[in-house]
């Protein structure tokens, strides 16, 4: 049963992502509304994949990404960045920091579900 952490400051966006990914058999979701909360969730439970927004309060998503990648136990954790930042520079920066995938909002539901399933194996 995969556990997916959905980290986005918008409750509506978190609900949309979880609704799209509900088709993944037995998927369990954990939510975070800020960067610090995302890191906290990672410390208290095992997570198989993170969906991470870049624009969040208290800690930017890139800082979360860099922190997670600096931790030995999380270097292989799939992290899909889901953001409104559509510039090539933002994409390259996130991928260089360790993002597994980069998807811009608004997203295509079937595409998001496919990419998450690929990352989960």
């Amino acid at each position: 049963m995969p556990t997916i952490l959905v980290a986005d400051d918008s409750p509506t966006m978190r609900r949309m992502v979880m609704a799209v990914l509900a088709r993944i058999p037995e998927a369990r979701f954990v939510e975070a509304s800020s960067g610090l909360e995302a890191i906290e969730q990672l410390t208290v439970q095992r997570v198989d994949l993170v969906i991470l927004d870049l624009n969040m309060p208290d800690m930017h998503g890139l800082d979360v990404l860099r922190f997670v990648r600096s931790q030995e136990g999380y270097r292989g954790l799939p992290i899909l960045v889901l953001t409104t930042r559509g510039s090539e520079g933002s994409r390259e920066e996130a991928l260089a920091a360790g993002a597994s995938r980069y998807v811009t909002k608004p997203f295509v539901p079937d595409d998001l579900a496919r990419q998450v399933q690929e990352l989960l194996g």
Side-chain angles (χ1 to χ4, degrees), residues 9-77:
D9 59 326
S10 166
T12 301
M13 184 57 65
R14 290 194 309 267
R15 282 192 304 273
M16 285 174 48
V17 168
M18 291 185 294
V20 166
L21 300 180
R23 63 181 88 169
I24 297 173
E26 300 182 14
R28 187 172 88 77
F29 298 97
V30 179
E31 298 179 60
S33 61
S34 71
L36 289 176
E37 189 178 345
I39 290 173
E40 179 182 305
Q41 290 292 346
L42 286 170
T43 63
V44 298
Q45 60 192 311
R46 185 180 82 43
V47 171
D48 299 295
L49 180 129
V50 177
I51 297 176
L52 178 65
D53 185 19
L54 294 182
N55 300 315
M56 288 194 293
D58 74 30
M59 188 173 190
H60 193 273
L62 277 176
D63 294 327
V64 174
L65 181 57
R66 289 182 184 114
F67 175 80
V68 171
R69 289 298 184 231
S70 74
Q71 305 302 304
E72 183 68 36
Y74 296 112
R75 290 200 179 125
L77 177 66

Side-chain angles (χ1 to χ4, degrees), residues 74-118:
Y74 296 112
R75 290 200 179 125
L77 177 66
I79 301 175
L80 184 147
V81 169
L82 180 63
T83 183
T84 58
R85 293 179 171 215
S87 74
E88 188 60 30
S90 292
R91 181 182 184 282
E92 288 174 4
E93 188 175 18
L95 293 172
S100 307
R101 302 280 172 96
Y102 192 92
V103 176
T104 56
K105 300 173 188 174
F107 60 88
V108 176
D110 288 340
D111 181 53
L112 180 65
R114 178 187 53 75
Q115 290 199 52
V116 166
Q117 289 176 317
E118 287 173 4

